[in-house]
Amino acid sequence: MTVLRIVIPFGSSAACSPWLGGLASSAAFQADRKLVRTQDWCLRSYLELGARPAAVQVARRHAKNILDEWRMGALADTVELLVSEIITNAVRASARLSHRRREAGQAPGALPVRLWLTSDRHRVMIQVWDGDHHQPTPLNAGLDAEAGRGLLLVETLSAQWGCYAPGGPGGKIVWAVCAP
């Protein structure tokens, strides 16, 4: 598979997060460790999708193909699962945003979801943008709940993850770093 475009999200070369190594405690947060810098990561892929449920499967397949191309198959299953969870949340957030626009009498227009994969040949950074500015919030899903565990899964499977609001077009980028 050929990478069609190389893009760094909105000119950003770093992702900020209050969650470091799965720790949500701000006491453990150190300002000099809050950035995951990817400007020197040599492998990059970009995919833009419509905010529809079918986007999840397409994004998973794209992630698997890219990691195979990058010869990083050992991380493929974990990256696929992380991409699936983050894209699912982005599609849901976009659906809520579209619904709010319709209620306000605005035409919702085509809402995209954007996926970036970046690697230094050891780690993979996943970044997903959607147009909704609301930050993802982990839920306390009960034992019988059929949903609500996605962010717990992202936190568990990734070395780091977080969310930030990029400058410019609005929305948010949810990111996760996957390492062996």
Side-chain angles (χ1 to χ4, degrees):
M1 176 175 218
T2 304
V3 177
L4 300 176
R5 291 196 274 186
I6 297 174
V7 177
I8 298 174
F10 308 109
S12 171
S13 61
C16 303
S17 173
W19 298 284
L20 295 171
L23 298 175
S25 168
S26 60
F29 183 71
Q30 296 176 3
D32 60 337
R33 292 181 49 212
K34 74 177 180 178
L35 296 176
V36 175
R37 299 195 179 276
T38 61
Q39 67 267 26
D40 297 327
W41 290 21
C42 56
L43 302 172
R44 299 173 187 272
S45 172
Y46 170 79
L47 181 65
E48 184 167 311
L49 302 158
R52 293 178 170 71
V56 177
Q57 182 181 6
V58 173
R60 280 183 71 121
R61 187 176 307 122
H62 176 76
K64 180 186 183 332
N65 290 340
I66 289 296
L67 265 64
D68 285 347
E69 183 178 304
W70 292 349
R71 294 188 173 99
M72 297 183 72
L75 292 177
D77 289 342
T78 304
V79 169
E80 277 186 78
L81 190 52
L82 289 169
V83 164
S84 179
E85 291 299 327
I86 298 170
I87 290 282
T88 296
N89 287 347
V91 167
R92 287 181 179 156
S94 294
R96 288 189 302 269
L97 179 60
S98 180
H99 181 72
R100 286 193 301 269
R101 286 182 179 175
R102 273 193 304 273
E103 286 181 339
Q106 301 171 337
L111 298 175
V113 172
R114 297 180 177 113
L115 167 67
W116 292 269
L117 298 172
T118 312
S119 178
D120 63 355
R121 298 195 185 277
H122 178 67
R123 299 167 290 178
V124 175
M125 176 178 247
I126 302 156
Q127 296 182 85
V128 175
W129 177 89
D130 69 72
D132 188 10
H133 69 278
H134 292 94
Q135 303 285 315
T137 307
L139 302 175
N140 291 325
L143 295 174
D144 296 337
E146 293 184 22
R149 294 184 186 87
L151 290 178
L152 176 61
L153 191 61
V154 169
E155 183 175 347
T156 302
L157 294 177
S158 63
Q160 293 179 315
W161 80 278
C163 180
Y164 67 101
K172 66 180 172 298
I173 293 178
V174 177
W175 62 274
V177 176
C178 184

